[in-house]
């Protein structure tokens, strides 16, 4: 899915991005959504929510696996953040930073993003989503695109620019200081254990659960009841509209609730009221 998505994105013009974002903003408004958190490279979602009149947190995505490119791509991202702040209404829109997927980022990207966001700038990242991502971070075994980039490590031996970390995605990212920033939103958190959850609690990391996307892409089911019992700030997310057929919070609530009921015991029963809270107050708390 990810490979096909990247192939399609290469065909998009800036006008395609703007049109797509505007349709997404209108669909959100029609669905009763008033506030959007969105990660973008182009700024199309910022233009769309301003035109439609939504509130939001817009994160500028930044990433590269090449150490030599870190300074350039991060400087470009910060320039966009500052420009977007100049052209947006601070009362209704916040601008933040978002490191790209773990398997496409040099660790310095995470360090730079954390340092930049220490002033309270919103920071978001997709984290511990699919089993493939988990296996890549822990074991270095995956089909992710980094393996198509070979680097000569000496003696004529070409190797992928990645070494297995032996740890989970949550503890890997913790190692690079991201959680030190005071306003972090982690998207997904499906592939997590109890120790990971303890770290998320310790650093007051908010979580966006995206149950319908997770189900559609066979990513698994997030341990939502554990998040709630741990006192984490949790909101209901949709993730990519390329992974689901519509932006529909009612459908997301219903499916998310039923999935949790299917895999949990009676003592962890998720109620409709809890799901409604996740989609409203919970999401507001997650975005501060």
């Amino acid at each position: 899915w990810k490979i096909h998505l990247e192939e399609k994105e290469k065909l998009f013009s800036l006008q395609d991005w703007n049109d797509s974002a505007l349709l997404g903003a209108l669909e959100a408004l029609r669905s009763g959504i008033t506030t959007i958190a969105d990660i973008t490279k182009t700024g199309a979602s910022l233009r769309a929510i301003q035109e439609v009149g939504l509130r939001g947190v817009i994160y500028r995505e930044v990433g590269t696996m090449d150490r030599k490119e870190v300074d350039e791509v991060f400087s470009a991202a910060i320039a966009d953040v500052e420009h977007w702040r100049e052209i947006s209404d601070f009362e209704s829109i916040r601008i933040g930073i978002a490191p790209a997927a773990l398997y496409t980022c040099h660790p310095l990207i995470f360090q730079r993003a954390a340092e930049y966001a220490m002033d309270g700038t919103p920071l978001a990242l997709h984290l511990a989503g699919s089993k493939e991502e988990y296996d890549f971070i822990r074991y270095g075994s995956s089909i992710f695109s980094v393996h198509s980039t070979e680097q000569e490590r000496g003696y004529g031996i070409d190797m992928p620019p990645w070494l297995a970390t032996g740890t989970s995605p949550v503890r890997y990212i913790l190692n690079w200081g991201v959680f030190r920033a005071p306003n972090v939103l982690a998207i997904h958190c499906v592939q997590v254990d109890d120790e990971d959850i303890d770290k998320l609690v310790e650093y007051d990391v908010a979580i966006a659960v995206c149950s319908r996307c997770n189900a559609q892409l066979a990513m698994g089911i997030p341990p939502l009841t554990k998040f709630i019992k741990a006192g984490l700030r949790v909101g209901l997310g949709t993730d990519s509209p390329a992974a689901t057929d519509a932006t529909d919070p009612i459908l997301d609530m219903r499916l998310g609730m039923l999935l949790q009921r299917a895999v949990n015991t009676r003592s962890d029963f998720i109620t409709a009221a809890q799901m409604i809270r996740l989609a409203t107050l919970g999401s507001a708390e997650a975005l501060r």
Side-chain angles (χ1 to χ4, degrees):
W1 175 82
K2 186 67 174 176
I3 292 170
H4 284 303
L5 186 63
E6 290 177 349
E7 290 175 350
K8 299 295 185 186
E9 287 178 346
K10 292 175 183 177
L11 305 177
F12 264 43
S13 67
L14 181 59
Q15 189 62 50
D16 290 329
W17 286 114
N18 288 334
D19 291 345
S20 179
L22 183 59
L23 288 171
L26 290 169
E27 183 179 38
L29 190 63
R30 184 183 63 184
S31 300
I33 296 170
T34 62
T35 304
I36 289 177
D38 190 70
I39 296 174
T40 176
K41 287 182 181 177
T42 66
S45 52
L46 172 60
R47 294 186 283 274
I49 67 171
Q50 289 192 111
E51 186 170 346
V52 173
L54 297 172
R55 293 172 294 159
V57 185
I58 303 299
Y59 303 88
R60 182 12 171 115
E61 187 175 53
V62 55
T64 179
M65 186 59 80
D66 190 336
R67 170 65 180 84
K68 297 188 295 295
E69 297 178 352
V70 169
D71 290 342
E72 180 181 353
V73 300
F74 201 81
S75 294
I78 299 309
D80 282 344
V81 169
E82 294 175 353
H83 174 62
W84 294 355
R85 284 173 174 167
E86 291 174 357
I87 63 174
S88 59
D89 177 11
F90 182 76
E91 293 300 317
S92 59
I93 298 173
R94 300 286 190 273
I95 307 298
I97 193 82
L102 270 61
Y103 49 86
T104 63
C105 275
H106 190 280
L108 276 178
I109 291 288
F110 302 123
Q111 288 183 325
R112 297 279 179 86
E115 292 166 1
Y116 182 74
M118 288 303 291
D119 63 354
T121 292
L123 188 156
L125 75 165
H126 291 79
L127 181 64
S130 67
K131 187 65 165 58
E132 288 86 355
E133 175 198 342
Y134 180 92
D135 288 345
F136 176 73
I137 299 299
R138 182 179 283 276
Y139 305 116
S141 58
S142 169
I143 61 171
F144 281 124
S145 60
V146 67
H147 281 98
S148 66
T149 305
E150 303 291 337
Q151 292 182 349
E152 188 171 306
R153 297 290 179 89
Y155 303 102
I157 300 173
D158 289 337
M159 296 176 64
W162 182 267
L163 293 176
T165 68
T167 192
S168 71
V170 167
R171 292 195 284 280
Y172 168 72
I173 207 70
L174 176 67
N175 187 58
W176 300 109
V178 170
F179 294 163
R180 293 186 296 107
N183 189 4
V184 178
L185 177 69
I187 304 155
H188 296 311
C189 292
V190 176
Q191 309 293 332
V192 294
D193 57 26
D194 290 345
E195 186 177 343
D196 290 333
I197 295 174
D198 288 342
K199 291 299 181 184
L200 295 171
V201 171
E202 179 182 347
Y203 289 91
D204 189 26
V205 175
I207 298 176
V209 293
C210 307
S211 297
R212 189 152 57 108
C213 168
N214 297 158
Q216 178 79 6
L217 299 180
M219 296 167 71
I221 301 174
L224 181 56
T225 55
K226 289 187 175 182
F227 295 159
I228 294 172
K229 288 182 177 179
L232 284 163
R233 292 178 291 118
V234 185
L236 188 69
T238 59
D239 199 47
S240 173
T244 54
D245 54 358
T247 301
D248 184 347
I250 301 297
L251 182 56
D252 281 312
M253 284 187 279
R254 180 179 293 121
L255 182 61
M257 179 182 70
L258 293 178
L259 288 172
Q260 293 295 322
R261 289 182 181 181
V263 299
N264 289 319
T265 62
R266 288 275 186 178
S267 62
D268 292 326
F269 189 84
I270 291 285
T271 67
Q274 284 177 304
M275 292 306 297
I276 291 172
R277 191 188 192 286
L278 288 176
T280 53
L281 292 173
S283 296
E285 290 167 356
L287 295 176
R288 294 204 184 281

